[in-house]
Amino acid sequence: MADIIRLLPDHVANQIAAGEVVQRPSSVVKELMENAIDAGATDIQLIIKDGGKTLIQVVDNGKGMSGTDARLSFERHATSKIQKAEDLFNLNTKGFRGEALASIAAIAHVEMLTKTEEDEIGTKIKIEGSKIVTQEVVVAPKGTSMLVKNLFFNIPARRNFLKSDQVEYRHITDEFHRIALAHPHVAFNFYNNGSDVFQLPANDFRKRIVHIFGRKTDEKLVPVEEETQVVKISGYIQKPEFAKKSRGEQFFFANNRFIKSPYLHHAILGAFEGLIRPGTHPGYFLNLEVDPATIDINIHPTKTEVKFDDEHTLYAMLKSTVKHSLGQFNVVPALDFEQDQNLDTPYSYKNKQVGVPQVVVDSSFNPFETVKPSQSNAVSGGGSYTKPKVDGWENLYAGLETTVDSGVSHLEFESEVVNSSIFDDEKEVVDHSTTTFQMRKKYIITTIKSGMVVINQSRAHQRVLYENFLKNITIKEAISQQLLFPLTLSFSTGEINILKEIKDNLCTVGFVFGEITEDGVEISGVPVLVVESEVQMIMEQLISDFQQEVPGDSFSQSDMLAKTLAKTLSVKTGETLDEFSQVKLVNDLFACKETTLSPFNKKVYITITENDIERKFI
């Protein structure tokens, strides 16, 4: 048998590695910015065009590279971060694999310009698809400039899987937030399509959070500080009343590296238990400093998934530290059972002596006694009053039954007339001959010719509202109700950008927007079905869904918007419906184009035939 195992060519191996390291433009941004931080840069500029598909450039003022190092840095597993296997257990740098630049150069046009402080001239290298095109000596400032163009130019399938420019830009912004928060002592500048997005000077951690998420964030933060032999915890948590449905403002940093840890996130939720609404998540920005030997970050190429040696201890410490901060800064309401505030002495009576109450009582006063003429004249201005003589208490009620008018039963009340005419038109559509029954405030049971139908009231209402909203978005003829006082809602910069993207679709549904600032939005009108008190919840749910789903085209945005509004405004399980509402919901459901499934592809109703019932009695 002939030998069949072959060594892969370098350019093929690099493209395979690129599949793990470079998943989208945000992966390139992450790798290049982390390299700049490892190089000791204090000022980093990020420049992107067309969501990173056309151009990604990272310019830093780090220590730079010599000509030999610049050429060698594009080879696989070439790195200055580690030298032996034991170094993997004592990592103090962002990168260590030596695959990032080789992977990026395999699937893009890369141009590097670098110079060290000792050298008089710098080095410029151009690479296209792992092939070095030119290497020349140029004049350059200290530091490194990495320019990546035409990402996935030689892998069309991967390029076709990329989302729209706005979606890719949002992913790049998320990566920028994570790196900028982890290194507040470094100045960052972010440019998108020639316009400034962020200008972040070097500052402390709190001011860096405020610069990224808006001025209103400052009043939401509660400091967290604890140091033990196992871990040092520092950072900020947000007050319970600012918890949101979305998970956009949850950040864990382990040794200045952003990490994702559902286990530690559960510890935060446990500390906030009973203080936030179910289904909401508190915001937090927490730094964890542990011994590098007790943490393993060599699990996944993205390095966001880590493993701690003693997670249970870390869980307990994190939960207790957050609880302590909530109590220390009077965020949690406290109850004092030892003191009654009603017994406190007012300040104005603090120095006064206690005296005997001066109350005069007329012991001879009798309310049933005949009033004297002189007193009556003084009070009523003349005449006299004589108390009627009653022999027994029963006589006090004599004659009352004759005061009832026999014509009262023939009166017509206005409410009866109004109720009989409000739904005249709709009663012609709704068939009241159909029998309906609500079971356990969750299901509506109605009869059909062959048996009966059991309908999930929440899913049925979702289907009805979904098709109505989708129709309004399509024909753009939604009805809105103006608010007497416009609502002003506070959001972070990233959430404001999402609202700007979906603003047009929200207007077609019935929302009317006023001024939109960097950290807030004014709403002066809402759809007819929306209650003013639910606007904040609806907007948070919309932002949460768009952050998780990240729709690319306008149809996906319209579809998701209709789904979110239908889910938020639909009748919930546990709500009682009167007979007319039950019949109306049944008729509206079967007037929809799709009746069997909800907008989320869940069964709306089941049919039980007469034969099915008869089989139960066999």
Side-chain angles (χ1 to χ4, degrees), residues 450-473:
S450 60
M452 64 180 182
V453 179
V454 181
I455 303 172
N456 186 306
Q457 65 181 29
S458 180
R459 295 179 184 177
H461 201 205
Q462 285 178 12
R463 167 54 62 178
V464 174
L465 292 177
Y466 169 73
E467 294 198 2
N468 287 338
F469 282 125
L470 207 56
K471 180 180 178 182
N472 290 338
I473 295 175

Side-chain angles (χ1 to χ4, degrees), residues 338-350:
E338 299 179 356
Q339 184 178 4
D340 187 356
Q341 294 183 354
N342 295 326
L343 300 179
D344 291 345
T345 304
Y347 289 109
S348 58
Y349 291 87
K350 186 175 182 181

Side-chain angles (χ1 to χ4, degrees), residues 279-393:
T280 59
H281 303 274
Y284 52 81
F285 310 88
L286 296 176
N287 297 302
L288 308 177
E289 295 184 23
V290 298
D291 185 359
T294 63
I295 181 174
D296 184 11
I297 61 175
N298 192 20
I299 297 177
H300 193 271
T302 60
K303 309 182 191 74
T304 57
E305 300 176 11
V306 298
K307 182 70 176 176
F308 295 96
D309 284 353
D310 194 355
E311 284 190 332
H312 297 290
T313 303
L314 195 61
Y315 180 98
M317 288 182 177
L318 187 61
K319 183 176 180 179
S320 61
T321 301
V322 173
K323 275 192 171 182
H324 175 70
S325 294
L326 290 172
Q328 182 180 6
F329 292 94
N330 297 325
V331 177
V332 180
L335 297 177
D336 187 359
F337 296 99
E338 299 179 356
Q339 184 178 4
D340 187 356
Q341 294 183 354
N342 295 326
L343 300 179
D344 291 345
T345 304
Y347 289 109
S348 58
Y349 291 87
K350 186 175 182 181
N351 299 323
K352 289 187 176 182
Q353 298 294 329
V354 179
V356 179
Q358 303 295 326
V359 180
V360 179
V361 179
D362 186 3
S363 58
S364 63
F365 175 74
N366 185 358
F368 297 100
E369 186 179 0
T370 303
V371 182
K372 297 180 181 180
S374 59
Q375 294 177 347
S376 176
N377 291 336
V379 175
S380 58
S384 62
Y385 169 76
T386 305
K387 179 177 74 69
K389 184 177 182 181
V390 181
D391 296 334
W393 65 269

Side-chain angles (χ1 to χ4, degrees), residues 216-233:
K216 297 290 183 66
T217 310
D218 193 26
E219 62 188 25
K220 305 177 184 178
L221 301 179
V222 177
V224 176
E225 191 76 33
E226 188 66 44
E227 185 172 2
T228 64
Q229 295 179 350
V230 179
V231 61
K232 178 182 178 182
I233 303 173

Side-chain angles (χ1 to χ4, degrees), residues 123-182:
T123 304
K124 182 178 181 180
I125 298 178
K126 286 186 179 181
I127 299 181
E128 296 180 1
S130 294
K131 297 180 180 180
I132 296 180
V133 179
T134 60
Q135 179 175 354
E136 55 186 351
V137 176
V138 295
V139 177
K142 171 180 172 287
T144 303
S145 171
M146 291 293 301
L147 190 144
V148 179
K149 297 185 292 185
N150 303 325
L151 196 64
F152 299 125
F153 78 99
N154 54 353
I155 311 179
R158 292 284 298 278
R159 189 175 181 87
N160 292 335
F161 276 109
L162 294 179
K163 304 295 183 181
S164 65
D165 293 350
Q166 291 180 338
V167 174
E168 297 301 337
Y169 165 70
R170 196 179 305 155
H171 283 288
I172 292 175
T173 304
D174 290 340
E175 290 293 346
F176 179 83
H177 286 170
R178 296 166 182 175
I179 297 175
L181 286 172

Side-chain angles (χ1 to χ4, degrees), residues 62-65 113-117 119-123 140-143:
K63 55 187 177 183
M65 289 181 284
L113 183 64
T114 182
K115 173 186 170 297
T116 62
E117 189 172 4
D119 295 337
E120 295 182 358
I121 54 177
T123 304
K142 171 180 172 287

